[in-house]
């Protein structure tokens, strides 16, 4: 015999109609616990990112003025308004470096992403997980090397005196000088690809491993080859990761500093002080001691990076949104 007991109207009213005070208190305690756990992050973010940016913006509105006829009467920091920004927007050297790096980025980023995508697709097609892990680690090794060390390694390899490329070129009767003005961007681009290929490959490979294997197997049963599966299924499935790596590449490209700075020691007539935007800011701050103007250039560069990143993101995700 089955005995069923329906809830009484009084019980139903208490469960549905009356908002439980205990539940609100539990949610409030959960919110406080969440804020307590997140507080170290927000404090660190404020000190590491927000405050330096606000300080740079504040410094960009001041200038150092020298007193006395010959500037021997001391210096003082005075409020100069937007003078530093007016100077920044008319600085031909700074904007020339922007154009120089932008042209380089248009060529280098597609090559770098294409090689990373190819490596990720090849790794994903390997049937042996052990073999894929070995290749993945080997491709990641350059990314683990500090940027300054990697730049030094390639500077020595490119060197006409001690590097192997010049000797190989001499053997075939070819004059190879990777520090020459015509080869400099190729040398820097090769170095950057060597460094970032493993990182981009890892992001893309992780996305490829997340694709439902039954979909790929169904495509194979339907007669699709490896290239067809890669083009029609895998690449569209990792479009978000491609956008992310492209975004990171744009941000990293305008921040090129270590590589040209070391190349400047080998080819100072080609790699000038304003060869890249970051080099312009660095030499304004630490060679010309014009920190306020360097702060204004930094703010302009950060704003430009933000606009470019936002525009690239909206452009590449417009199809998904529609």
């Amino acid at each position: 015999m089955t005995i069923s007991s329906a809830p009484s109207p009084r019980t139903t009213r208490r469960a549905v109609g009356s908002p439980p005070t205990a539940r609100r208190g539990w949610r409030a305690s959960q919110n406080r616990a969440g804020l307590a756990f997140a507080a170290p992050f927000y404090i660190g973010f404020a000190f590491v990112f927000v405050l330096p940016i606000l300080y740079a913006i504040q410094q960009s509105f001041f200038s150092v003025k020298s007193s006395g006829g010959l500037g021997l009467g001391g210096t003082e920091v005075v409020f100069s308004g937007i003078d530093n920004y007016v100077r920044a927007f008319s600085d031909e050297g700074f904007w020339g470096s922007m154009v120089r790096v932008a042209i380089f980025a248009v060529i280098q980023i597609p090559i770098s992403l294409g090689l990373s995508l190819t490596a990720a697709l090849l790794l994903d097609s390997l049937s042996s997980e052990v073999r894929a892990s070995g290749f993945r680690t080997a491709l990641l090794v350059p990314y683990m090397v500090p940027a300054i060390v990697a730049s030094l390694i390639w500077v020595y390899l490119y060197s006409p005196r001690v590097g192997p490329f010049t000797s190989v070129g001499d053997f075939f009767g070819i004059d190879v000088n990777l520090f020459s003005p015509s080869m400099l961007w190729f040398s820097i681009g090769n170095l950057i690809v060597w460094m970032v290929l493993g990182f981009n490959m890892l992001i893309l490979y992780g996305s490829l491993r997340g694709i439902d294997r039954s979909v790929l197997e169904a495509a194979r049963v339907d007669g699709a080859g490896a290239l067809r599966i890669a083009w029609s299924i895998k690449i569209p499935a990792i479009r978000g990761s491609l956008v992310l790596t492209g975004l990171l590449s744009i941000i990293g490209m305008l921040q090129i500093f270590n590589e040209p700075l070391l190349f400047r020691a080998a080819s100072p007539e080609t790699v000038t002080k304003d060869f890249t935007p970051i080099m312009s800011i660095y030499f304004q701050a630490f060679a010309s001691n014009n920190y306020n103007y360097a702060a204004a250039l930094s703010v302009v560069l950060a704003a430009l990076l933000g606009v470019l990143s936002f525009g690239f993101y909206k452009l590449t995700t417009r199809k998904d949104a529609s």
Side-chain angles (χ1 to χ4, degrees):
M1 184 176 63
T2 302
I3 300 175
S4 61
S5 59
S8 65
R10 182 176 181 181
T11 305
T12 304
R13 283 197 302 271
R14 186 168 58 235
V16 177
S18 62
T21 305
R23 182 179 300 175
R24 288 202 300 270
W26 179 80
R27 287 178 178 174
S29 65
Q30 290 296 306
N31 291 336
R32 286 194 295 271
L35 287 175
F37 277 111
F41 166 77
Y42 287 118
I43 294 173
F45 184 80
F47 275 98
V48 175
F49 291 100
V50 178
L51 289 181
I53 292 174
L54 295 178
Y55 182 71
I57 294 174
Q58 186 260 346
Q59 287 294 309
S60 66
F61 291 106
F62 290 85
S63 296
V64 177
K65 298 292 184 183
S66 300
S67 59
L70 299 175
L72 301 176
T75 59
E76 61 176 342
V77 179
V78 297
F79 181 75
S80 59
I82 62 171
D83 289 352
N84 285 326
Y85 288 99
V86 173
R87 180 184 170 187
F89 281 104
S90 60
D91 190 333
E92 294 182 358
F94 179 71
W95 291 104
S97 67
M98 287 278 196
V99 174
R100 188 180 299 118
V101 171
I103 295 174
F104 174 64
V106 169
I107 300 172
Q108 198 273 339
I109 289 178
I111 294 175
S112 177
L113 290 184
L115 292 175
S116 301
L117 177 61
T118 303
L121 289 171
L122 290 175
L123 284 179
D124 186 60
S125 64
L126 290 178
S127 57
S128 171
E129 182 62 30
V130 176
R131 189 179 301 174
S133 177
F135 283 117
R136 191 169 63 240
T137 304
L139 288 172
L140 267 177
V141 168
Y143 182 72
M144 300 174 187
V145 178
I148 194 73
V149 176
S151 301
L152 284 173
I153 291 173
W154 281 96
V155 165
Y156 280 111
L157 290 175
Y158 291 151
S159 172
R161 289 182 297 175
V162 298
F165 298 113
T166 303
S167 301
V168 173
D170 292 340
F171 180 79
F172 290 101
I174 304 173
D175 183 18
V176 177
N177 183 5
L178 294 169
F179 289 144
S180 64
S182 60
M183 294 293 292
L184 194 64
W185 278 117
F186 169 81
S187 303
I188 295 176
N190 176 64
L191 168 58
I192 293 175
V193 169
W194 182 77
M195 291 176 60
V196 304
L197 189 146
F199 176 74
N200 291 334
M201 176 275 303
L202 189 64
I203 295 177
L204 300 176
Y205 177 73
S207 298
L208 287 172
R209 299 305 295 174
I211 298 175
D212 189 352
R213 297 287 126 177
S214 63
V215 177
L216 304 180
E217 190 61 33
R220 290 191 189 95
V221 172
D222 289 342
L227 290 177
R228 180 67 174 173
I229 292 174
W231 181 256
S232 300
I233 298 177
K234 292 185 177 180
I235 293 177
I238 61 170
R239 189 164 176 265
S241 297
L242 285 171
V243 172
L244 173 64
T245 51
L247 199 61
L248 294 176
S249 298
I250 291 174
I251 295 172
M253 197 56 61
L254 282 177
Q255 295 178 345
I256 293 179
F257 177 70
N258 296 326
E259 299 84 1
L261 187 65
L262 288 177
F263 277 70
R264 176 175 164 77
S267 183
E269 68 281 358
T270 304
V271 185
T272 57
K273 291 190 295 185
D274 52 4
F275 193 69
T276 67
I278 296 294
M279 286 182 67
S280 295
I281 295 171
Y282 173 81
F283 280 101
Q284 284 291 340
F286 301 107
S288 303
N289 291 324
N290 197 346
Y291 299 104
N292 303 101
Y293 182 54
L297 291 178
S298 301
V299 173
V300 171
L301 179 61
L304 185 62
L305 269 175
V307 171
L308 285 176
S309 301
F310 179 76
F312 178 79
Y313 178 78
K314 296 297 289 185
L315 182 66
T316 51
T317 57
R318 184 172 53 185
K319 184 177 179 181
D320 292 339
S322 62

